[in-house]
Amino acid sequence: MRENFYRLYQFNHWANKKLAEVLKNDYCEEGARLLSHIVNSELIWYGRINNETYHSIKLWQLHEPFLLKVYAVESSLNFFQLIDTCPEDDFLKEVKYKNTKGEALETCLSDILFHVVSHGSYHRGQVNKALIEAGKEPVNVDYITFSRLGKS
């Protein structure tokens, strides 16, 4: 399980970083708002997993392009460390946390880890739509493109 999650988070890191670099050089506010939401939610989820209040970040808080990349890297490092150090059995354990409405919930760690990556993929598609609507080029951040890197 560890290797699969590590690979998914390598993809997640690559895709977030790629979009952050594009937004830094060719700013689009809606794209930045959506990428900010992705990294904010990753940092919030990491805090929930570790039973801590993480950052003072709000879910839809907008960040400047430089901070987007900083938070994207910080989030990736957090999740890489979590995946590397998590005992194999703990991937199937329930995590107790409160959602943004303050409701107490429990979710299996592996489901949370998968959710974080799929949530990011969903919103990265919206970032590309925002780029197109702003007259800018979309960025290919598909998993299959990532998987081909270094294989040609």
Side-chain angles (χ1 to χ4, degrees):
M1 194 173 300
R2 181 183 324 282
E3 294 80 20
N4 290 334
F5 280 122
Y6 196 78
R7 181 76 172 155
L8 284 174
Y9 277 83
Q10 286 176 318
F11 158 66
N12 194 65
H13 174 70
W14 169 82
N16 286 347
K17 187 176 154 196
K18 206 167 172 186
L19 283 174
E21 289 168 358
V22 166
L23 290 168
K24 181 181 173 198
N25 297 324
D26 200 8
Y27 189 73
C28 164
E29 186 170 341
E30 179 62 9
R33 185 181 75 80
L34 290 161
L35 187 56
S36 293
H37 172 69
I38 293 168
V39 298
N40 294 345
S41 65
E42 288 177 6
L43 292 168
I44 290 167
W45 273 111
Y46 182 78
R48 288 174 179 167
I49 291 166
N50 288 292
N51 198 27
E52 58 191 36
T53 302
Y54 195 77
H55 282 284
S56 58
I57 286 177
K58 304 290 184 238
L59 196 55
W60 286 98
Q61 182 178 341
L62 175 65
H63 302 294
E64 295 299 318
F66 172 76
L67 274 180
L68 271 174
K69 192 170 181 182
V70 168
Y71 286 142
V73 169
E74 179 182 351
S75 175
S76 294
L77 291 174
N78 288 341
F79 279 101
F80 288 143
Q81 181 182 14
L82 172 70
I83 292 164
D84 283 343
T85 60
C86 185
E88 195 68 32
D89 291 346
D90 284 3
F91 286 107
L92 300 176
K93 287 190 176 176
E94 295 290 313
V95 174
K96 295 178 182 183
Y97 60 94
K98 289 186 180 179
N99 66 10
T100 55
K101 296 175 184 174
E103 300 166 331
L105 299 167
E106 290 184 32
T107 306
C108 177
L109 176 59
S110 62
D111 287 341
I112 292 170
L113 292 173
F114 185 78
H115 166 74
V116 169
V117 173
S118 63
H119 174 262
S121 291
Y122 170 78
H123 286 298
R124 284 188 293 269
Q126 292 179 319
V127 172
N128 271 324
K129 184 175 186 235
L131 287 169
I132 291 167
E133 289 173 352
K136 302 173 187 306
E137 288 294 315
V139 182
N140 185 339
V141 288
D142 289 338
Y143 180 83
I144 198 69
T145 302
F146 165 78
S147 74
R148 293 180 189 136
L149 293 175
K151 294 183 180 181
S152 53

